[in-house]
Amino acid sequence: MEKKVSQHSRAVHVGDRKRPDATQPAWVPVTIPIHLAASYFYNDMNDLDRVFGNEMPGQSYGRYGNPTSDALEELVTSLEGGAGALACATGMAALHMAISTALIDRRRTIVAASLLYGATLGMLAKVFEPAGVDVIYVDFCDDAAVAAAIEKHKPGAIVMETICNPLVRVPALDRIGALAKAADVPLIVDNTFATPMIIRPFESGASFVVHSLTKYLSGHGDTMGGIVVSDEANLAQLRALSRTVGFTLGPFECYLSMRGIKTFPLRMERQCANARKVAEWLVAHPAVERVYFPSDPKHPDAENIGRLFAEGLYGGIVSFEVKGADRDRIFRMMNALKMIVPATSLGDVHTMMLYPAMASHRDIAPKHRARLGIHDNLVRLSVGIEAVEDIIADLDQALRA
Ligand SMILES: *Cc1c(COP(=O)(O)O)cnc(C)c1O
């Protein structure tokens, strides 16, 4: 309970309403302004020199930082319990920054979870591998296999997600974090699906925690963004690299993200509660073959879930298979939805339904998809904050279509 209260308070207050010092006028805006300046000057050139030299905090040039992005970074750093953060143009840009930072002075080998967000798998295969990075894919729900891969390949980075899409598998983050620490390898954790309301990966030994801000943290489907939160050891390197690469998030998007995050803990609690009720309803539905949701006591990762998840919260994602359905039957159901939005993305205030075989896992060969357990009758729901009876009623009528 204590932890939840503090996340709610952080979400509303951190980064905003900075008190002026003696050199500034005495008014304080109740929200951080959208600072649009590309560059900054000082009364004394010596001050600009000190800021450029990192000897004094301050602003100099928009690619290096901006008061609005600083506020957002401070806020997400506090929610995740890291040392500092870098807001990036998208979640993919944030992942790219985290991986590039980890590998800059380490062995160019990555041990990666075989179940990762589709674009993350794509980036490893199409950007890092062609640049000479070896990527070894391992089933992260098998920690003995992860331990063996770290031992054998001595990677420069480990990449995983807290909750894997779309089958909501949950690897033993705490045990993998301990393996990474023991081998002194930075662990990069994409925490987009679990969010810091459910899991805070730094507590399990992560070196970088990455988010697509586009999803739960912003939560309203109106902005793109990403963020890398870093531990102390890697922060200076992350910032230095960011200055030259320039994946920065614009001040408007930073503002929208901060506005969204103020209600993120509230939304997340509601989404988790709604998702649990929807999952329970689906389990009992005669047209539903199978439901994937972390509160299921027979979930293959139930032990990890019990250890790692905040009490009573199981996330807002429910996947389910429709009995005997092919692609046409799934399309018919999705076309029949009246309130639920059949769009890509997740974590928004509105409930969304996605067809993994067509969208998130489209680029995976059908045979491989089937091996991963992603069948043609599987759909993924990102449950929103609406009245749960309305979500259930819409699902019920669509399942009859
Ligand atoms: C959406 C998503 C990303 C990519 O984020 P973008 O903001 O779309 O670039 C990365 N990882 C996960 C788990 C995601 O859901």
Side-chain angles (χ1 to χ4, degrees), residues 106 147 150-151 154-156 158 176-186:
R106 293 186 181 91
I150 294 173
E151 173 73 26
K154 312 245 176 308
I158 302 170
I176 295 167
L179 291 170
K181 280 274 178 250
D184 198 21
V185 185

Side-chain angles (χ1 to χ4, degrees), residues 116-261:
L116 286 171
Y117 181 69
T120 307
L121 291 172
M123 187 169 70
L124 291 172
K126 292 177 198 158
V127 179
F128 285 100
E129 291 196 66
V133 176
D134 286 322
V135 185
I136 289 97
Y137 297 93
V138 181
D139 175 3
F140 266 50
C141 289
D142 175 355
D143 9 302
V146 179
I150 294 173
E151 173 73 26
K152 179 168 174 211
H153 298 283
K154 312 245 176 308
I158 302 170
V159 179
M160 66 181 289
E161 295 172 2
T162 37
I163 301 180
C164 305
N165 180 36
L167 301 178
V168 295
R169 293 297 304 266
V170 179
L173 174 67
D174 49 353
R175 293 205 283 265
I176 295 167
L179 291 170
K181 280 274 178 250
D184 198 21
V185 185
L187 173 64
I188 300 169
V189 181
D190 182 337
N191 199 26
T192 300
F193 272 61
T195 82
M197 281 297 282
I198 300 179
I199 299 182
R200 303 211 313 165
F202 286 117
E203 292 166 2
S204 294
S207 293
F208 298 94
V209 176
V210 177
H211 279 275
S212 168
L213 290 169
T214 317
K215 316 288 172 55
Y216 285 105
L217 292 180
S218 292
H220 294 75
D222 55 3
T223 183
M224 299 290 298
I227 197 159
V228 193
V229 190
S230 172
D231 64 0
E232 192 65 50
N234 293 284
L235 187 58
Q237 190 75 271
L238 175 71
R239 289 208 199 288
L241 193 63
S242 144
R243 286 182 164 221
T244 58
V245 179
F247 285 164
T248 39
L249 184 63
F252 280 112
E253 286 79 6
C254 290
Y255 159 77
L256 281 172
S257 300
M258 272 192 88
R259 183 177 166 86
I261 291 172

Side-chain angles (χ1 to χ4, degrees), residues 76-94:
V76 181
T77 298
S78 137
L79 291 171
E80 283 291 4
L86 178 73
C88 299
T90 62
M92 292 319 298

Side-chain angles (χ1 to χ4, degrees), residues 245-285:
V245 179
F247 285 164
T248 39
L249 184 63
F252 280 112
E253 286 79 6
C254 290
Y255 159 77
L256 281 172
S257 300
M258 272 192 88
R259 183 177 166 86
I261 291 172
K262 291 180 203 301
T263 55
F264 146 70
L266 272 181
R267 285 186 278 107
M268 195 66 197
E269 284 177 348
R270 168 82 169 199
Q271 282 168 292
C272 289
N274 277 357
R276 195 169 178 181
K277 287 183 195 145
V278 168
E280 282 163 7
W281 178 82
L282 284 166
V283 165
H285 198 286

